[in-house]
Amino acid sequence: MTEEATTRFLHVANGTCATRLIESAGIPGRRSIWADPLDDGPVPGGLSDGELLDVRARHLAGKSKPGEVDPVNDLRAWRAVIEHQQAYDELVLWFEHDLFDQLNLVQILTWIRDRLDAAAAVSLICIGAFPGRPGFKGLGELTAGELAPLLDTRQRVTAAQYALADQAWRAFREPSPMALDDLRQADTSALPFLAAALTRFLEEYPWTGDGLSRSERRLLQLAGDGPIGLAAAFPRMHDGEAAYYITDLSFAALVETLSRAAPPLISVAGATAGFRHASMTLTEVGRDVLTGRRDRVATCGIDRWLGGVHLQPGADLWRWDGERRRMTRD
């Protein structure tokens, strides 16, 4: 009997798509997720994990429809499964190279180091490519047969990985983005996909020149060809992206933000019939912002959390300098 056949595994992945695939692949063990969209909404520092859970739960509840409760997104339940160490021999983490996963990875590694026994067996499977899958975006693209052999590629999490994760998690939650900007340019080889993911995160700050984030600019470009259906525009948001970035919920929130800005940068028609039937068009103000004649922040204002940074009136306005590829402050 092989070691894998006798080991009691707990597999923690980036979402239910991955855990269902793990089950379909016949990989033994229990399954859970750790999948908070940390790039969206407040993740302030100076809070305990319990206090941060309250902040995140309120934010995620605000993203749900009235009366809708998603039992999968139970942040406390995810933690309880891992804390019950008597139920498994080895914890296997399944994550990818994109921003969503890298932020969850640094959070969970920091959380694990602070709570699990020092001798706990924790392994990591983290890939950014797969043979025969050009433009690989994530584990969910694989077949069960392709996924199954990945178990044998797992590596025990090292002290260097725990240390880097802790440093990144703290920097992400600071009220200034400078520590994160410095970190991504330092030695992050212990977590080889982290630097690119953090760079993509910083590109969501307003840019010098037009005040648009990278995702906002892409949305306005698509609307400029409009009217264009939101269902058709969503997959095209990933044109030019090296890794999967925006989810459907984040896309819908972005559409709402830009259509409700004062003045609006896009107009949306048919929204009452549902997302699949709605379309968007660039407004004249939106065209001025897109072409650089007006600044998005100066025109519409901003009130947005990016990790531990709250961009709001009266606070420091941090921007991404696309030419120097560094953060700057107005």
Side-chain angles (χ1 to χ4, degrees):
M1 185 175 293
T2 65
E3 180 181 354
E4 283 76 10
T6 58
T7 300
R8 297 178 304 159
F9 291 110
L10 171 59
H11 302 283
V12 174
N14 60 356
T16 54
C17 179
T19 54
R20 286 194 293 265
L21 195 56
I22 291 169
E23 181 180 18
S24 298
I27 298 174
R30 302 173 64 204
R31 296 165 301 280
S32 185
I33 68 169
W34 191 289
D36 185 354
L38 294 163
D39 59 304
D40 181 6
V43 194
L47 303 179
S48 68
D49 184 66
E51 292 168 334
L52 181 61
L53 282 176
D54 291 337
V55 171
R56 295 301 299 165
R58 286 194 296 270
H59 173 71
L60 294 173
K63 295 286 184 179
S64 302
K65 297 177 181 178
E68 179 182 271
V69 177
D70 184 358
V72 173
N73 283 327
D74 189 336
L75 310 183
R76 288 180 171 79
W78 304 346
R79 288 156 170 76
V81 171
I82 298 174
E83 286 182 315
H84 188 46
Q85 289 183 249
Q86 300 85 348
Y88 60 91
D89 303 313
E90 181 178 346
L91 171 60
V92 185
L93 307 177
W94 299 71
F95 288 94
E96 297 151 6
H97 60 309
D98 57 63
L99 174 62
F100 179 97
D101 280 42
Q102 291 297 297
L103 291 180
N104 275 273
L105 179 59
V106 299
Q107 183 191 35
I108 193 173
L109 287 179
T110 302
W111 186 89
I112 285 170
R113 189 179 71 164
D114 291 342
R115 287 165 179 79
L116 297 194
D117 296 339
V122 182
S123 301
L124 175 63
I125 297 168
C126 188
I127 63 174
F130 194 86
R133 295 277 183 176
F136 173 79
K137 289 292 194 295
L139 297 170
E141 297 179 352
L142 305 181
T143 66
E146 290 171 329
L147 185 81
L150 290 179
L151 181 65
D152 293 332
T153 71
R154 71 191 189 279
Q155 299 289 324
R156 189 64 58 92
V157 175
T158 67
Q161 288 173 321
Y162 281 123
L164 178 57
D166 179 74
Q167 186 181 4
W169 181 236
R170 292 177 186 276
F172 178 69
R173 298 176 64 190
E174 286 196 7
S176 158
M178 295 311 297
L180 203 63
D181 196 12
D182 291 339
L183 175 64
R184 72 182 180 87
Q185 298 179 81
D187 180 10
T188 59
S189 56
L191 296 172
F193 304 120
L194 182 61
L198 295 182
T199 299
R200 183 63 186 88
F201 175 72
L202 294 177
E203 290 176 339
E204 284 305 288
Y205 277 82
W207 285 42
T208 57
D210 60 14
L212 292 166
S213 71
R214 178 172 169 177
S215 293
E216 288 176 337
R217 186 177 302 105
R218 180 59 185 153
L219 185 71
L220 294 190
Q221 289 169 346
L222 292 171
D225 297 331
I228 182 173
L230 299 187
F234 171 59
R236 293 185 58 191
M237 287 291 292
H238 288 101
D239 293 349
E241 296 278 1
Y244 186 78
Y245 179 72
I246 194 167
T247 66
D248 54 349
L249 290 178
S250 296
F251 173 72
L254 184 60
V255 169
E256 182 176 10
T257 295
L258 297 187
S259 64
R260 293 189 176 184
L265 304 185
I266 58 173
S267 62
V268 177
T272 55
F275 178 89
R276 292 185 176 277
H277 302 285
S279 62
M280 64 178 178
T281 306
L282 195 63
T283 65
E284 286 304 313
V285 174
R287 193 171 303 280
D288 285 346
V289 171
L290 182 60
T291 56
R293 291 193 293 269
R294 299 177 69 168
D295 182 88
R296 179 253 193 265
V297 178
T299 301
C300 306
I302 192 168
D303 185 356
R304 184 183 182 190
W305 282 88
L306 288 160
V309 178
H310 190 184
L311 300 176
Q312 60 180 329
D316 289 333
L317 179 58
W318 296 97
R319 291 183 185 249
W320 173 255
D321 187 330
E323 292 186 3
R324 298 173 57 232
R325 298 192 63 74
R326 287 286 329 231
M327 293 301 302
T328 186
R329 180 172 56 183
D330 281 1

